[in-house]
Amino acid sequence: AGMGKDYYRTLGLARGASGEDVRRAYRRQALRFHPDKNKEPGAEERFKEVAEAYDVLSDPKKREIFDKYGEEGLKGGAPSSGQGGSNGPTFTYTFRGDPHAMFAEFFDGRNPFDTFFVQRNGDEEDGDETFTTFHVGGFGNVSFPRARGGEGSCRKQDPPVLYDLKVSLEEIYSGCTKKMKISHKRLNPDGKTVRNEDKILTIEVKKGWKEGTKITFPKEGDQTPNNIPADVVFVLKDKPHGVFRREGSDIVYPAKISLRE
């Protein structure tokens, strides 16, 4: 193969790198060369290359073609003659991505240069579970004046959004996993328009958690161009039980008995 770009080299990875390695390498390199942070000449160029490398290596199909045929193969240079055209790659790849949009998407629209930066939790949807969808809205149309100069110094975080998380006595007795589906607004890569997005938040309820226990998901509230999204907070509440109720760590059984009994 000719001397095309080596996406593994760009990310500082070996060829067999796992998907997790690829994500980690992109994260490290993108933070390092991000033009907001790195003013060296050539940083912007590196930032783009890193984005392209991640775009290819994080997609199993593109990665497979790149592994077999290199950059030329990926971008449509046919594989060397002698192989019937049919087993060559059948699509051509051009990196049209906007490296900044990709960066925003990767970091879930948050600014990773904020000191407080939370990785998103893996949201596996478990197919057939039924979810109550909570709408995190309520502050959709409040806009705070934008600061000039002092970047976002007057952005306020919206107040936390609270929901009850109802658990049965049996669930608290043995612990359980609750999946809550929230629907929140997320900023599009253009930084101005907003889309609705559903997200599953997974809560591991531990045995014996007390009523009133709070589980916080930072910044999962609605996102607008001018706010810091609210934290979403679930507050544990006991579901009434047919027979028992709990008081602290005790289970109480109220019984009516006659004087004679």
Side-chain angles (χ1 to χ4, degrees), residues 58-246:
S58 62
D59 175 325
K61 191 156 170 51
K62 293 179 203 159
R63 180 170 172 176
E64 186 188 354
I65 292 181
F66 174 72
D67 284 350
K68 282 205 189 97
Y69 306 107
E71 190 203 6
E72 292 90 338
L74 195 59
K75 296 197 170 162
S80 49
S81 56
Q83 294 174 275
S86 57
N87 23 0
T90 51
F91 77 115
T92 47
Y93 163 74
T94 331
F95 179 58
R96 291 211 186 70
D98 161 353
H100 289 276
M102 175 183 278
F103 185 81
E105 169 109 358
F106 183 87
F107 286 107
D108 207 21
R110 310 205 175 107
N111 177 356
F113 302 121
D114 286 353
T115 43
F116 184 63
F117 172 57
V118 187
Q119 272 295 39
R120 74 181 287 169
N121 9 14
D123 320 317
E124 303 78 50
E125 301 219 11
D126 279 8
D128 51 13
E129 292 192 43
T130 46
F131 298 102
T132 339
T133 299
F134 297 104
H135 288 274
V136 205
F139 299 100
N141 41 14
V142 180
S143 58
F144 298 100
R146 307 243 5 205
R148 278 282 147 261
E151 206 356 59
S153 51
C154 72
R155 284 190 189 193
K156 292 264 187 298
Q157 183 170 12
D158 292 340
V161 183
L162 300 175
Y163 297 116
D164 286 351
L165 175 65
K166 294 198 166 34
V167 291
S168 67
L169 214 47
E170 289 79 1
E171 288 173 320
I172 279 299
Y173 183 73
S174 50
C176 65
T177 300
K178 291 276 196 190
K179 288 182 183 281
M180 304 309 247
K181 185 181 209 177
I182 61 166
S183 158
H184 56 190
K185 294 187 171 31
R186 278 296 171 250
L187 220 44
N188 289 317
D190 63 14
K192 298 185 193 63
T193 55
V194 173
R195 66 182 183 279
N196 280 323
E197 192 175 274
D198 287 347
K199 181 166 178 182
I200 309 285
L201 302 176
T202 303
I203 302 171
E204 293 295 337
V205 177
K206 302 274 183 277
K207 295 181 186 189
W209 267 4
K210 301 275 184 283
E211 194 166 40
T213 300
K214 290 190 162 85
I215 305 94
T216 301
F217 291 89
K219 301 194 185 166
E220 291 292 2
D222 282 340
Q223 194 180 38
T224 70
N226 326 314
N227 78 337
I228 297 168
D231 293 348
V232 170
V233 182
F234 290 94
V235 185
L236 199 77
K237 291 274 189 276
D238 288 342
K239 285 184 190 160
H241 189 279
V243 182
F244 304 106
R245 64 166 195 270
R246 74 169 164 155

